[in-house]
């Protein structure tokens, strides 16, 4: 049967089977994003601290996690940790792996955002009599957040696409369901194209939002 | 006698704003015409229309008797594309306010690239011509420098040499010294004066009223998209007839 | 984890040569996909910046789709879909070919946007100056715009290359013979997954870090001026 014939006959059934994996995709995305947002901030603050003792581990962490593939990192956590006693579930390994990877990238976004605003604004705030902490809270961070929103949104899109690799450690998300379905029905073309469309339905709207944020940031600057 | 440049009833609208409201202008071969006027008068737009960097909304332009920028179709006239305009633009030289030198080429490179790639000269011929032009503007010692290492005045002189290397019939100067520091203006005006004395046909948009007076055969005063007054410098600058011309010149003296 | 040094002492003389051999495959995939991505990217960047609406639209559609899909999905579609739709002799379609095409399609979309911003970053005056000298738009693009744009895009292209190198690990998921795939075989053959994967991470790092430093050096030089 041709592509369109299969699509017509089994399309809805395939869609239903594939979407069974969607909750796992979304869950891994949300959890690793949360992990990366929090841990990334922590790493960024270490990176920005005036003490070498704190900066060096942060820099090492960032360089290493950005310099190695996310897939390897997830594998190390899932297959490697049992060696020392921890047996993570596939989902846990995926979230921690993608989260650690993401934190490395996010920390650089945080750092760029804060440094971009830092100098003159801080000086102006201090000369007005604010404490550094007040300046940070009312002047620096609000501006930094607005600067960071577009790259953070772009990062989120990348993270969502990265969840497609975690089937390799056994998480039953979209790709995993797709492969199962193909094993059963041998309809690789229709199934994988459908998976692609499902991903596009998520990433393209996100990209639009990111573009709008970028435009409003430029207008504001 | 056939004018080199003939502008007939030129209009230019940007959306709802009419920037040029019916310009008629003739420039004879070898004539030097300066265009002065307040900002917003449309002088730069007029200049940019002559080589079709801006496309006129209506009106026609003729160089050496030939209609440029448009072709006649059975309905009326249609603007030419940039690709079709390229040939016509070879004969018109344009000097920009902000030089627009090519930063990835040396001074010599800037001057020789068009002769080579547009006119088809060999590398040697192009370089010979290029060196000659750079010497003419007084920059023989800088031929291998990149634009970022040159002062504003030097960059503008390279830009002029770049235009000369194409041996155009007509040269257009768009506020060539307005972006320069005061002490660098002189060297560029010197080159322009030399070109004028050699007989080039020049249309100069400028704020340098004194220079305009010294070099031009004719001064044109524009305001709000129209030519208000034109004539020999002695008449327009020293004894203007129109009140608006008088007001503009008085304003300049006060500054 | 504390046993790592002793594990390495025992196995590394066996693992390392094999892993380094597969590094060559990784570098080969990276190199060929890079070339393909640059070609595709340049083509679509020119389409995107052309004045023909149709070309612009085609470029936009391609870029949005190829960038919005996870690389794994692209790889799966490229490698598994054609043989299934058109039955026949597909032995020539190796995993290497599938990997390179998949990575090239994705990379082409990324580089198209990089090249486009490089072209658009140039001051409008450059194009005007070229046109006033009598160049056609095509000549202006070839001799004036693109040479400058290429210089501007060097750092983002460098960063893309580093990402590409890491992305080759994903090709293991369609069975390509490269570093990650070999790592998996060794790890499970010798029952030492932690040791092997950490070693492989170090190897990837050893390949990408010099590139990182190179890109940073380039960025620094470009901001100071030539």
């Amino acid at each position: 049967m041709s592509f369109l014939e299969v699509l017509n006959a089994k399309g809805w059934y395939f869609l239903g089977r594939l979407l069974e994996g969607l909750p796992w995709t979304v869950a891994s995305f949300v959890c690793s994003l949360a992990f990366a947002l929090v841990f990334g901030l922590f790493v960024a603050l270490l990176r920005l601290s005036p003490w070498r003792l704190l900066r060096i581990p942060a820099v090492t962490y960032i360089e290493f996690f950005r310099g190695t593939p996310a897939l390897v990192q997830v594998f190390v956590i899932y297959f490697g940790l049992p060696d020392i006693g921890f047996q993570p579930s596939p989902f846990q390994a995926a979230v921690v792996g993608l989260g650690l990877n993401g934190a490395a990238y996010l920390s650089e976004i945080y750092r760029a955002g804060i440094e971009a605003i830092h100098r003159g604004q801080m000086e102006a705030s201090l000369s007005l009599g604010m404490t550094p902490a007040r300046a940070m809270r009312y002047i620096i961070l609000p501006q930094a957040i607005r600067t960071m929103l577009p790259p953070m949104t772009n990062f989120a899109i990348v993270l969502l696409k990265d969840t497609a690799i975690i089937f390799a450690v056994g998480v039953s998300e979209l790709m995993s369901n797709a492969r199962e379905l193909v094993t059963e029905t041998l309809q690789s073309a229709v199934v994988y194209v459908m998976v692609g469309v499902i991903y596009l339905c998520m990433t393209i709207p996100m990209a639009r939002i990111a573009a709008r944020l970028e435009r409003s940031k430029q207008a504001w600057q | 006698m056939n004018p080199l440049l003939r502008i007939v009833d030129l209009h230019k609208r940007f959306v709802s704003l009419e920037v040029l409201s019916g310009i008629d202008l003739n420039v004879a071969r070898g004539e030097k015409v300066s265009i002065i006027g307040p900002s917003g008068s449309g002088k730069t737009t007029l200049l940019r229309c002559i080589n079709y960097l801006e496309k006129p909304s209506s009106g026609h332009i003729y160089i050496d008797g030939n209609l440029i920028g448009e072709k006649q179709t059975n309905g009326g006239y249609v603007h030419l594309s940039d690709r079709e305009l390229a040939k016509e633009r070879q004969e018109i030289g344009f000097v920009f306010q902000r030089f627009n030198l090519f930063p990835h080429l040396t001074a010599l490179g800037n001057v020789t690239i068009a002769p080579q790639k547009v006119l088809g000269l060999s590398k040697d011929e192009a370089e010979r011509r290029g060196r000659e032009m750079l010497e003419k503007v007084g920059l023989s010692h800088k031929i291998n420098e990149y634009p970022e290492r040159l002062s504003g005045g030097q960059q503008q002189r390279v830009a002029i040499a770049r235009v000369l290397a194409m041996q155009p019939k007509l040269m257009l100067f768009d506020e060539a010294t307005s972006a320069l520091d005061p002490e660098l203006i002189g060297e560029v005006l010197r080159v322009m004066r030399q070109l004028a004395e050699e007989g080039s046909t020049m249309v100069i948009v400028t704020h340098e009223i004194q220079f305009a007076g010294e070099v031009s055969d004719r001064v044109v005063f524009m305001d709000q998209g129209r030519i208000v007054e034109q004539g020999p410098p002695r008449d327009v600058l020293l004894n203007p007839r129109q009140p608006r011309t008088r007001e503009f010149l008085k304003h300049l003296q006060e500054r | 984890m504390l046993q790592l040094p002793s594990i390495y002492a025992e196995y590394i003389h066996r693992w390392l040569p094999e892993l380094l051999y597969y590094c060559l495959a990784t570098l080969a995939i990276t190199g060929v996909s890079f070339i393909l991505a640059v070609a595709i990217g340049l083509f679509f960047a020119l389409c995107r910046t052309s004045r023909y609406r149709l070309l612009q639209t085609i470029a936009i559609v391609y870029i949005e789709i190829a960038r919005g899909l996870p690389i794994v999905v692209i790889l799966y579609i490229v490698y598994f879909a054609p043989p299934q739709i058109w039955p026949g002799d597909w032995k020539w379609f190796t995993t290497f070919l599938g990997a390179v095409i998949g990575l090239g399609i994705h990379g082409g979309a990324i580089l198209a946007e990089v090249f486009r911003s490089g072209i658009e970053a140039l001051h409008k005056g450059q194009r005007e100056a070229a046109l006033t000298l009598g160049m056609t738009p095509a000549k202006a693009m070839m001799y004036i715009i693109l040479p400058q744009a290429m210089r501007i895009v060097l750092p983002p292209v460098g960063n893309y290359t580093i990402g590409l190198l890491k992305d080759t690990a994903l090709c293991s998921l369609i069975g390509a013979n490269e570093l990650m795939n070999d790592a998996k075989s060794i790890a499970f053959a010798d029952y030492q997954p932690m040791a092997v994967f950490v070693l492989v991470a170090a190897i990837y790092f050893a390949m990408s870090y010099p590139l990182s430093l190179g890109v940073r050096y380039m960025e620094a030089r470009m901001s100071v001026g030539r």
Side-chain angles (χ1 to χ4, degrees):
Chain A
M1 284 198 281
S2 83
F3 186 94
L4 290 169
E5 287 168 359
V6 176
L7 192 58
N8 221 347
K10 308 245 191 76
W12 290 115
Y13 168 67
F14 284 179
L15 189 61
R17 285 286 302 273
L18 290 176
L19 289 180
E20 282 172 20
L22 191 58
W24 284 104
T25 293
V26 174
S28 2
F29 168 65
V30 170
C31 294
S32 26
L33 184 59
F35 186 115
L37 283 171
V38 173
F39 194 62
L41 187 55
F42 173 66
V43 173
L45 292 172
L46 286 183
R47 179 77 180 78
L48 289 167
S49 84
W51 297 293
R52 237 150 162 253
L53 205 60
L54 294 179
R55 272 206 317 263
I56 293 185
V59 173
T60 319
Y61 168 87
I62 295 171
E63 295 291 348
F64 192 75
F65 274 85
R66 283 177 49 158
T68 52
L71 186 61
V72 178
Q73 293 161 13
V74 172
F75 267 53
V76 166
I77 293 176
Y78 184 67
F79 294 112
L81 284 190
D83 275 5
I84 51 172
F86 294 111
Q87 174 66 64
S89 76
F91 181 77
Q92 288 164 344
V95 165
V96 173
L98 292 180
L100 287 174
N101 190 324
Y105 284 97
L106 271 181
S107 76
E108 290 291 86
I109 294 178
Y110 286 138
R111 181 167 76 104
I114 293 176
E115 279 183 350
I117 316 285
H118 208 48
R119 274 143 239 169
Q121 296 286 300
M122 184 53 112
E123 289 176 357
S125 317
L126 292 177
S127 359
L128 287 170
M130 285 194 221
T131 62
R134 276 241 164 81
M136 206 32 124
R137 196 174 146 207
Y138 294 111
I139 308 294
I140 311 286
L141 281 181
Q143 292 184 59
I145 290 174
R146 227 168 299 194
T147 311
M148 297 191 283
L149 232 33
M152 278 169 72
T153 317
N154 282 319
F155 164 76
I157 299 174
V158 171
L159 186 60
L160 178 61
K161 294 191 289 172
D162 278 348
T163 59
I165 69 177
I166 61 183
F167 71 86
V169 293
V171 180
S172 314
E173 42 67 76
L174 279 171
M175 264 315 268
S176 162
N177 276 37
R179 295 175 73 223
E180 246 177 55
L181 196 51
V182 169
T183 316
E184 283 174 26
T185 66
L186 298 180
Q187 297 295 341
S188 5
V190 174
V191 171
Y192 291 134
V193 169
M194 282 184 80
V195 167
V197 171
I198 296 175
Y199 273 108
L200 288 177
C201 290
M202 294 188 283
T203 58
I204 290 187
M206 283 172 82
R208 290 253 186 280
I209 296 176
R212 199 170 307 154
L213 283 172
E214 179 74 50
R215 272 196 299 272
S216 73
K217 162 179 150 188
Q218 291 198 353
W220 168 73
Q221 278 176 344
Chain B
M1 221 211 343
N2 223 353
L4 180 61
L5 171 66
R6 198 157 74 92
I7 302 174
V8 176
D9 195 27
L10 204 66
H11 288 259
K12 174 66 184 171
R13 259 177 306 278
F14 285 112
V15 199
S16 52
L17 183 67
E18 186 157 62
V19 176
L20 294 175
S21 307
I23 303 283
D24 293 281
L25 187 66
N26 287 358
V27 178
R29 201 171 316 264
E31 194 180 356
K32 294 138 240 310
V33 174
S34 289
I35 306 181
I36 62 174
S39 350
S41 54
K43 17 185 235 299
T44 294
T45 310
L46 175 61
L47 211 67
R48 285 166 64 92
C49 280
I50 296 178
N51 73 342
Y52 268 78
L53 279 180
E54 306 284 356
K55 306 212 195 302
S57 308
S58 70
H60 303 288
I61 301 180
Y62 300 85
I63 301 236
D64 234 351
N66 302 317
L67 176 69
I68 62 162
E70 309 168 277
K71 55 177 175 236
Q72 262 180 300
T73 58
N74 35 355
Y77 294 93
V78 141
H79 286 308
L80 295 180
S81 69
D82 279 329
R83 200 168 58 82
E84 293 161 320
L85 283 166
K87 188 115 205 331
E88 294 171 353
R89 285 181 175 145
Q90 288 171 26
E91 323 218 289
I92 309 172
F94 197 98
V95 177
F96 293 86
Q97 185 176 356
R98 296 198 185 281
F99 338 135
N100 285 338
L101 287 186
F102 304 134
H104 62 305
L105 302 173
T106 59
L108 187 61
N110 263 274
V111 176
T112 56
I113 186 151
Q116 269 188 274
K117 303 295 184 192
V118 173
L119 299 177
L121 294 186
S122 75
K123 189 159 185 288
D124 287 328
E125 286 170 3
E127 280 194 6
R128 202 178 318 133
R129 195 187 281 193
R131 281 174 212 272
E132 202 185 309
M133 293 304 128
L134 283 169
E135 185 175 336
K136 193 186 181 78
V137 302
L139 287 173
S140 304
H141 56 302
K142 295 280 186 189
I143 55 175
N144 290 317
E145 294 283 6
Y146 283 92
E148 63 182 4
R149 304 277 293 269
L150 301 173
S151 75
Q154 292 169 333
Q155 288 187 50
Q156 191 62 301
R157 285 189 277 155
V158 173
I160 295 177
R162 181 173 68 174
V163 161
L164 290 175
M166 293 294 284
Q167 297 175 337
K169 289 183 180 169
L170 171 66
M171 289 191 65
L172 308 175
F173 292 83
D174 184 9
E175 301 205 27
T177 56
S178 300
L180 295 175
D181 288 334
E183 65 267 19
L184 299 173
I185 295 181
E187 59 194 66
V188 174
L189 293 182
R190 205 173 311 134
V191 170
M192 289 170 71
R193 194 174 288 124
Q194 187 188 342
L195 291 177
E197 283 164 12
E198 287 172 1
S200 311
T201 313
M202 300 161 78
V203 179
I204 306 171
V205 168
T206 185
H207 286 311
E208 301 285 329
I209 306 294
Q210 190 177 356
F211 175 75
E214 289 168 6
V215 143
S216 326
D217 300 311
R218 188 170 16 135
V219 171
V220 172
F221 173 66
M222 272 183 75
D223 190 19
Q224 293 182 7
R226 290 201 167 79
I227 295 181
V228 172
E229 188 171 346
Q230 58 178 308
R234 170 178 8 105
D235 290 349
V236 176
L237 297 178
L238 298 180
N239 218 353
R241 272 177 293 159
Q242 299 291 332
R244 263 191 289 171
T245 322
R246 254 176 285 179
E247 211 182 301
F248 173 70
L249 291 170
K250 199 164 67 115
H251 213 279
L252 282 184
Q253 283 166 358
E254 283 168 8
R255 257 197 287 135
Chain C
M1 184 104 89
L2 303 160
Q3 314 155 298
L4 273 182
S6 55
I7 299 178
Y8 285 137
E10 187 183 337
Y11 286 102
I12 209 163
H13 63 281
R14 256 201 303 139
W15 291 344
L16 208 49
E18 189 177 328
L19 289 173
L20 290 178
Y21 172 73
Y22 280 96
C23 273
L24 294 177
T26 292
L27 291 171
I29 298 177
T30 307
V32 181
S33 330
F34 178 80
I35 295 173
L36 185 59
V38 168
I40 296 179
L42 203 50
F43 173 71
F44 280 107
L46 292 173
C47 286
R48 185 78 179 75
T49 53
S50 89
R51 38 183 204 124
Y52 298 110
R53 254 310 194 72
L54 183 63
L55 287 180
Q56 271 192 36
T57 313
I58 294 178
I60 293 175
V61 168
Y62 171 83
I63 293 171
E64 289 239 16
I65 292 181
R67 282 208 313 178
L69 288 173
I71 297 180
V72 195
V73 175
I74 297 180
L75 286 171
Y76 267 66
I77 294 178
V78 166
Y79 187 63
F80 292 118
Q84 191 250 322
I85 303 183
W86 299 292
D89 182 15
W90 283 92
K91 268 182 285 176
W92 57 273
F93 193 39
T94 60
T95 51
F96 179 85
L97 207 49
V100 163
I101 294 176
L103 288 176
I105 289 178
H106 186 258
I110 295 181
L111 287 182
E113 288 291 88
V114 169
F115 291 148
R116 173 169 85 105
S117 55
I119 291 174
E120 290 181 348
L122 286 183
H123 196 257
K124 188 168 77 119
Q126 289 292 302
R127 184 167 188 270
E128 284 188 353
L131 291 179
T132 53
L133 288 169
M135 288 196 203
T136 61
K139 285 195 176 146
M141 182 60 88
M142 191 161 51
Y143 297 115
I144 307 298
I145 307 287
L146 282 183
Q148 293 183 60
M150 288 301 119
R151 228 161 287 214
I152 296 176
V153 302
L154 234 33
V157 169
N159 280 319
Y160 160 73
T161 312
I162 298 170
L164 179 61
L165 182 65
K166 294 186 291 164
D167 287 338
T168 58
L170 298 176
C171 301
S172 62
L173 300 174
I174 57 166
N177 286 323
E178 43 70 62
L179 185 57
M180 189 58 183
N181 215 349
D182 188 53
K184 278 194 278 192
S185 330
I186 299 182
F188 296 120
D190 289 342
Y191 297 112
Q192 298 289 359
M194 181 67 148
V196 172
F197 290 132
V198 168
L199 178 60
V200 164
I203 296 178
Y204 273 110
F205 186 71
M207 288 192 287
S208 71
Y209 195 58
L211 284 175
S212 267
L213 292 178
V215 171
R216 256 171 271 186
Y217 172 71
M218 250 197 304
E219 284 174 332
R221 265 194 60 182
M222 280 185 56
S223 59
V224 173
R226 245 172 298 116

